[in-house]
Amino acid sequence: LFIYDNIGDIKISTKYLIVNRGNLQIGTETDRFKNAKFTLNFIGSQSDLSIPLFGNKVLGTFEGNLDVHGKLRDVVWTQLSQNALAGTNTFVLADPVDWQVGEYIVVAPSDHDLTHSEKVKIT
């Protein structure tokens, strides 16, 4: 399955997405998917039925390929240069970024519990 940039926004809601002996390609290196939105929303809960070798709420491949080429970003990750309290909407970053209003970032926790991560919308 190849998803082109010129077909408009795409939103998929699913419990899991497994590429099995096939290819899922979103854009190419020379024709990136950058003008539309591709949203993959995993529904369900951690207690849902798990797929052997994968778990649940997963994007995975089994003898397949996943190839995603979106908008090039100047910085794809950075660190905070000052501590931030949980729930804050202002961050002081170590690097300049080109984030746009309406985009989302995930702020990783300072401990090792990934459930402490926060999804934040850029305002």
Side-chain angles (χ1 to χ4, degrees):
L1 173 62
F2 182 78
I3 299 175
Y4 295 92
D5 190 44
N6 63 359
I7 63 174
D9 293 350
I10 296 170
K11 183 173 184 176
I12 298 172
S13 292
T14 184
K15 290 190 175 192
Y16 57 85
L17 179 60
I18 305 293
V19 179
N20 186 15
R21 295 186 178 117
N23 299 300
L24 172 57
Q25 185 171 348
I26 303 170
T28 68
E29 285 189 57
T30 56
D31 188 15
R32 295 183 170 272
F33 190 88
K34 62 183 184 275
N35 297 315
K37 286 185 182 179
F38 179 84
T39 304
L40 180 56
N41 182 39
F42 292 104
I43 57 176
S45 67
Q46 288 182 328
S47 62
D48 285 348
L49 182 65
S50 291
I51 300 171
L53 303 176
F54 289 101
N56 61 14
K57 295 176 71 167
V58 65
L59 169 61
T61 64
F62 181 77
E63 296 181 11
N65 296 301
L66 172 63
D67 197 11
V68 180
H69 297 275
K71 179 180 177 181
L72 286 174
R73 304 311 296 253
D74 295 333
V75 175
V76 294
W77 71 272
T78 187
Q79 295 180 327
L80 299 178
S81 62
Q82 294 180 7
N83 288 340
L85 297 175
T88 189
N89 62 0
T90 303
F91 302 99
V92 180
L93 305 175
D95 301 293
V97 295
D98 60 346
W99 299 338
Q100 302 296 312
V101 171
E103 294 179 332
Y104 289 88
I105 61 169
V106 174
V107 180
S110 55
D111 60 20
H112 296 289
D113 186 344
L114 296 180
T115 63
H116 294 165
S117 299
E118 292 185 52
K119 180 179 172 183
V120 179
K121 186 174 185 177
I122 304 299
T123 58

